Structures are given as C-alpha cells and as structure tokens.
C-alpha cells in the first residue's frame, strides 16, 4: 500500500507511474484537500496541493485527469480573486467571441443528446397544448438554438386542421444570436407556408421587462425555458452574502480519504462513489430520498409570478438536475464533481481524447461552468443549478400546476437516445416529468406546467 500523504513541496516522481484507477482516486483526494485549504484560507497548503495536482491532471488525459484540470483552474481562480488587482490584470486582455460561444453551444447540442431530448419533449407538450388554436405565441427565454423551433414549425405545419399563425419571441443578451435565429426560422416558415413572426428581445433574463414580451389578447401562449431560470437565483444571494469568497464557511469539512485504494473502476462516477463514501456525498438519489431545504428567492418568485400573470397554456422548463447552489465551497465541489464526471464520461464515450471539438466543449462550456460554480460568489455566480424537487416547490408556490408529459413525448425521448451509439444514456419518468440520465445518474430534468387558477 502506498501512502496518500507525500510531504508537501517534495518532488514526487512516483506520481507519474500511478495506474489510471490509482491516479483517479488520488486526484479526487487532492482536489478535496485543496478545496479545504482554499475554504479555510490556508493558501500555502493550497499552493502545494495545486502543484501536486498539476503533475497528474491534463485537459487531454483520461476523464479524471481532464476533470481535475478544470477544477484545479477554478480553485486557483478563487484564490486569485482575493487579490483583485492581480486577478483583473490577468484577465484584462481576455476576448469573448460571440461566434465561439455560438459554435460551442452547437457542438454541445450535436455531441450530447440532452438538449435534443429537451426540445423534442417540449415541442410535443406545446403541440398537444395548442391543439385547435389559431393564434399561437411561444416565448423562448433562452433563444440560442433554432433547431427546436424549426422542428415545431414542421410539427404545426403537419396539423390536420392546418397550421396556426405562429409568433415566437426570443430573449437573448446577444443580438447576433437572435438575428441568426430570426433569419433561419423566417426562411423555414416561408418554405412551409406558415404565417410567422419573430420578435427579438436583447436582454439578460434578470433585466427582462415582462411587458416587452407583448402577449396579445386571443393568443394561446407557450413559454419555454431551457437551462436558464437558475441564473435568477444570484440576485438574492448578493444581498445576503457578507463573507469573503476565500473564507466561506466550510461546515462539511474535508472528506476522510485515508483508506485502501480500490481498483475496479468503470466510470469516473464510480471512482467518486468509492472516494466520497465516508464523507459528504450526494449519492445517486440523495435529493429524492431526503427532504431538501428550500429558501425562497424574491427575484425568482417575482419573475415566476409575472409569468403566471401572462396565463400561459403551457410552460416547459428544462434544468440541470444537480445541487450546485450550496452555501459552502466543499458542498458545491462535491456535488459538481459528480455532475461533471458524468458529462465528461459522456464525451469520453463519444469522441477520442485528441478531438478538438471535445476539448472546446470541455474547456469553453463545462470548464467555464465549473469555474463559475467554484470560483464565483454573489451576482457573478450564475450557474446555480438545483434539483427538480426545488423547482417543483417554487413553481407550486407561484401558482403553477404540473402537466404530466405524454406517453408519446416520453417515447420520442427514448427513441432519440437509442439512436446514439453509446449505451449510457437513459430516461426516467418521475410523476409525469422526464429525467435524462447518464448510466443511473440524473443530469437534466424536463417538466411541463400550466397556470393553476
């Protein structure tokens, strides 16, 4: 048995000779230890641990090496934020490219089935709710991917009673994204001979004025929110948070990891189960097996109440199904390790490790989300993903009632997943709501709602 506690600062040539399973377990050990040092303000120990991780982590290695590379970057960024001058200087020349963001979003859409499943199920719920309606208005709260609405145009065009007049209002903070979507959908509507109008609202979701959505009397309204609502939770947290991001309460403590290495790894998720079993661990179904604490959010409540006031016939919501909005760094790190280990496993099963497309999605999408969850606090921390149970509570309090997703919608989701070459993708039905999973771990939820009068 090798020791898992080499001396700080000493060269460790044996680290590079570890087998994949040993290395994966040790990386988890080091990440949690490093996070504990960061949370407690022990920067010297954090620096030494980061150096050790750098000897093992790689954005081009196996799943655990890649995950470790991005979590390490996030922890280092959290430390740097304690010195705003250094942090700002290092980021002063960073360029944000709209075209790159659009490209990465499209890559994720093509490589992983999660968004496609959400779109298929949402469209089926909308078509069913709009049966017989002649004037249909759809509000897309995150209008970044035209594929969903192209498919809806085709579905509505095939109605036996003929297509309705369709109006789509797209909300996005980048004008270029909305203009591209308007062009694609207008062309599709002309091809199908469907009366169509696309309204653009350039705005962040938290700044949206519901009046600008221009819902008209006589329209049947549908609302779609894909991976968007959780960003509103940042508004209330900014008022409550008084502590330094570097000394956040670490109530969970570091996990006790001094135990025998086990060598039967199949996925990084199983590695995490082995390594976190004696400490804080969300487990596969922890959120559904125990009551969740629920904190009301004034900004979220206000927004949902405003949507309720629009009287939508159907509102379909897709969200990441994981608790990344914990109050402590250790809690968020443990939860997000599970979630992103599963996403990295998805790509491991889909693309070779040298794939530039894979690297782009991992770095520019997953990596940026991890950084936001781990390194940011207050208004900056937008990736506040929460479990479906919390969304059910919020929507119920706002006056929405659940609409069970139809058998046909669920069937379409299963068939879509079966069309993918790897066998790890699954769906679960929970009280009329859809969970999209990798292996047996739920990653995304899709649910439909209507106004309860």
């Amino acid at each position: 048995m090798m020791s898992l506690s080499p001396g700080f600062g000493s060269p460790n040539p044996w680290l590079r000779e570890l087998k994949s399973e040993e290395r994966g377990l040790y990386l988890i050990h080091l990440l949690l230890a490093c996070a504990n040092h960061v949370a407690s303000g022990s920067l010297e120990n954090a620096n030494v641990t980061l150096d050790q991780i750098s000897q093992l982590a790689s954005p081009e290695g196996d799943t655990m090496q890649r995950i470790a590379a991005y979590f390490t970057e996030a922890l280092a960024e959290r430390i740097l934020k304690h010195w705003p001058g250094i942090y700002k200087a290092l980021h002063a020349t960073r360029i944000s490219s709209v075209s790159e963001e659009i490209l990465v979003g499209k890559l994720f859409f093509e490589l992983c089935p999660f968004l496609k499943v959400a779109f298929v199920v949402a469209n089926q719920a909308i078509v069913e709710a709009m049966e017989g309606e002649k004037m249909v208005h759809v509000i897309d709260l995150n209008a970044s991917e035209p594929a969903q609405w192209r498919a809806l145009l085709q579905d509505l065009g095939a109605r036996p009673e003929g297509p309705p007049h369709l109006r789509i209002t797209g909300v996005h903070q980048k004008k270029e994204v909305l203009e591209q979507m308007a062009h694609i959908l207008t062309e599709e509507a002309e091809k199908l001979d469907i009366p169509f109008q696309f309204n653009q609202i350039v705005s962040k979701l938290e700044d949206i004025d519901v009046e600008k959505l221009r819902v008209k009397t006589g329209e049947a309204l549908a609302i779609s929110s894909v991976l968007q609502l959780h960003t509103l939770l940042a508004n209330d947290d900014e008022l409550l948070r008084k502590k330094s991001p570097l000394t956040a309460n670490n109530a969970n403590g570091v996990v006790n990891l001094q135990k025998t290495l086990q060598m039967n790894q199949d996925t990084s998720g199983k590695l995490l189960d082995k390594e976190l079993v004696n400490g804080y661990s969300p487990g596969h179904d922890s959120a559904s097996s125990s009551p969740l604490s629920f904190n009301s959010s004034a900004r979220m409540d206000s927004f949902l109440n405003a949507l309720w006031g629009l009287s939508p016939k159907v509102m379909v919501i897709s969200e990441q199904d994981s608790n990344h909005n914990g109050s402590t760094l250790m809690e968020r790190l443990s939860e997000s390790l599970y979630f992103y280990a599963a996403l990295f496993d998805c790509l491991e099963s889909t693309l070779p490790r040298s794939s530039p497309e894979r690297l782009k999605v991992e770095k520019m999408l997953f990596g940026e989300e991890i950084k936001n969850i781990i390194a940011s606090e207050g208004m900056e921390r937008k990736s506040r993903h929460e479990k479906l149970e919390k969304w059910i509570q919020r929507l119920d309090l706002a006056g929405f009632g659940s609409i069970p997703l139809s058998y046909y919608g669920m069937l379409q989701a299963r068939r879509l997943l079966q069309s993918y070459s790897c066998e790890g993708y699954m769906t679960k039905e929970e009280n009329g709501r859809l969970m999209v999973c990798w292996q047996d771990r739920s990653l995304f939820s899709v649910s439909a709602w209507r106004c309860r009068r």
Side-chain angles (χ1 to χ4, degrees):
M1 177 86 60
M2 71 182 68
S3 168
L4 285 184
S5 301
F8 280 151
S10 60
N12 300 303
W14 58 269
L15 287 177
R16 298 189 179 278
E17 298 174 10
L18 291 174
K19 296 177 182 177
S20 176
E21 297 88 346
E22 295 171 327
R23 183 177 59 227
L25 289 169
Y26 191 34
L27 276 169
I28 297 166
H29 161 77
L30 288 173
L31 281 171
L32 289 164
C34 182
N36 191 50
H37 294 319
V38 172
S40 63
S42 179
L43 301 189
E44 185 175 347
N45 285 338
N47 179 58
V48 173
T49 313
L50 286 171
D51 183 51
Q52 290 182 319
I53 296 172
S54 69
Q55 297 181 54
L56 298 175
S58 167
E60 296 178 345
D62 61 29
T63 298
M64 276 312 306
Q65 285 181 300
R66 298 166 95 103
I67 292 171
Y70 293 109
F71 274 90
T72 303
E73 185 179 8
L75 288 167
E77 179 150 323
R78 187 178 177 95
I79 293 172
L80 280 178
K81 285 187 175 183
H82 197 53
W83 291 280
I86 296 174
Y87 177 79
K88 289 174 184 175
L90 287 174
H91 292 79
T93 58
R94 177 175 288 184
I95 298 172
S96 178
S97 167
V98 175
S99 58
E100 281 287 300
E101 290 177 15
I102 295 172
L103 172 62
V104 171
K106 288 188 180 301
L107 283 174
F108 177 62
F109 175 75
E110 293 298 335
L111 296 174
C112 299
F114 304 110
L115 290 181
K116 290 181 181 177
V117 169
F119 292 167
V120 162
V121 173
N123 282 2
Q124 183 60 33
I126 292 170
V127 168
E128 291 168 3
M130 298 303 164
E131 187 174 349
E133 296 288 352
K134 298 191 183 321
M135 301 283 289
V136 175
H137 184 185
V138 177
I139 296 173
D140 184 353
L141 297 178
N142 184 27
S144 57
E145 178 49 66
Q148 177 179 10
W149 308 127
R150 286 183 69 177
L152 181 68
L153 281 164
Q154 293 162 10
D155 291 340
L156 293 175
R159 291 198 320 182
E161 69 269 34
H165 183 286
L166 178 63
R167 192 156 67 95
I168 294 179
T169 296
V171 180
H172 199 278
Q173 56 185 313
K174 300 287 175 58
K175 186 178 181 181
E176 301 94 320
V177 173
L178 292 173
E179 287 177 343
Q180 184 184 49
M181 179 173 276
H183 176 71
I184 292 171
L185 296 181
T186 301
E187 273 194 349
E188 186 70 21
E190 288 174 356
K191 192 188 308 179
L192 297 169
D193 196 25
I194 295 176
F196 176 73
Q197 181 183 355
F198 187 84
N199 300 328
Q200 303 179 31
I201 297 184
V202 182
S203 173
K204 294 181 181 178
L205 192 62
E206 63 260 31
D207 298 329
I208 192 71
D209 179 358
V210 173
E211 293 296 320
K212 289 185 179 179
L213 297 175
R214 293 166 52 199
V215 177
K216 300 176 183 176
T217 304
E219 288 181 329
L221 178 64
I223 299 173
S224 172
S225 175
V226 178
L227 312 184
Q228 192 68 13
L229 281 183
H230 62 263
T231 61
L232 295 176
L233 295 170
N235 293 66
D236 299 291
D237 187 67
E238 177 68 15
L239 301 174
L240 299 173
R241 190 182 67 88
K242 298 297 182 183
K243 296 179 181 178
S244 162
L246 200 63
T247 58
N249 176 36
N250 184 26
N252 293 304
V254 74
V255 179
N256 176 16
L257 298 171
Q258 305 300 324
K259 65 181 192 293
T260 305
L261 286 169
Q262 301 175 56
M263 304 305 174
N264 298 317
Q265 177 222 8
D266 293 314
T267 66
S268 52
K270 291 182 180 179
L271 267 182
L272 286 160
D273 282 335
K274 293 172 184 176
E275 195 66 346
L276 300 179
V277 69
N278 289 331
Y280 175 80
S281 170
H284 289 292
D285 296 303
S286 62
S288 57
S289 61
S290 62
L292 283 169
S293 60
F294 175 72
N295 296 320
S296 183
S297 159
R299 183 68 186 89
M300 179 69 72
D301 293 346
S302 172
F303 186 75
L304 291 177
N305 288 334
L307 295 183
W308 182 89
L310 298 176
S311 301
K313 287 195 74 173
V314 63
M315 181 166 73
V316 188
I317 295 174
S318 302
E319 283 288 334
Q320 293 90 339
D321 192 52
S322 190
N323 180 23
H324 300 154
N325 196 24
S327 59
T328 70
L329 171 61
M330 293 304 295
E331 182 183 0
R332 297 206 302 271
L333 184 111
S334 299
E335 290 275 359
S336 53
L337 269 173
Y338 269 98
F339 183 81
Y340 287 99
L343 285 179
F344 275 69
D345 272 339
C346 294
L347 290 182
E348 178 80 3
S349 302
T350 306
L351 292 172
R353 292 176 184 175
S354 59
S355 164
E357 291 82 10
R358 177 179 174 180
L359 187 62
K360 277 182 182 291
V361 171
E362 290 176 345
K363 179 174 177 58
M364 298 179 65
L365 184 61
F366 300 162
E368 288 302 307
E369 287 180 0
I370 290 167
K371 204 182 294 180
N372 191 255
I373 293 166
I374 300 301
S376 298
E377 296 292 353
M379 282 296 293
E380 286 184 357
R381 183 157 60 86
K382 300 292 187 182
S383 297
R384 294 173 176 266
H385 313 139
E386 293 194 334
K387 299 290 287 185
L388 175 62
E389 287 86 346
K390 287 194 177 182
W391 291 110
I392 292 172
Q393 289 175 293
R394 281 198 182 90
L395 289 156
D396 182 64
L397 287 172
F400 288 94
S402 180
I403 302 175
L405 297 170
S406 69
Y407 171 79
Y408 186 60
M410 299 282 195
L411 181 63
Q412 284 180 294
R414 285 195 296 272
R415 285 177 174 170
L416 196 156
L417 291 182
Q418 288 167 1
S419 70
Y420 276 71
S421 55
C422 44
E423 299 177 356
Y425 296 112
M426 300 168 56
T427 60
K428 287 193 294 191
E429 186 267 337
E430 292 187 4
N431 298 319
R433 306 172 190 104
L434 181 71
M435 315 302 290
V436 191
C437 312
W438 173 254
Q439 307 295 354
D440 56 348
R441 185 168 299 282
S442 173
L443 295 179
F444 295 87
S445 67
V446 186
S447 56
W449 304 84
R450 61 169 164 251
C451 290
R452 192 177 62 241
R453 295 292 179 182

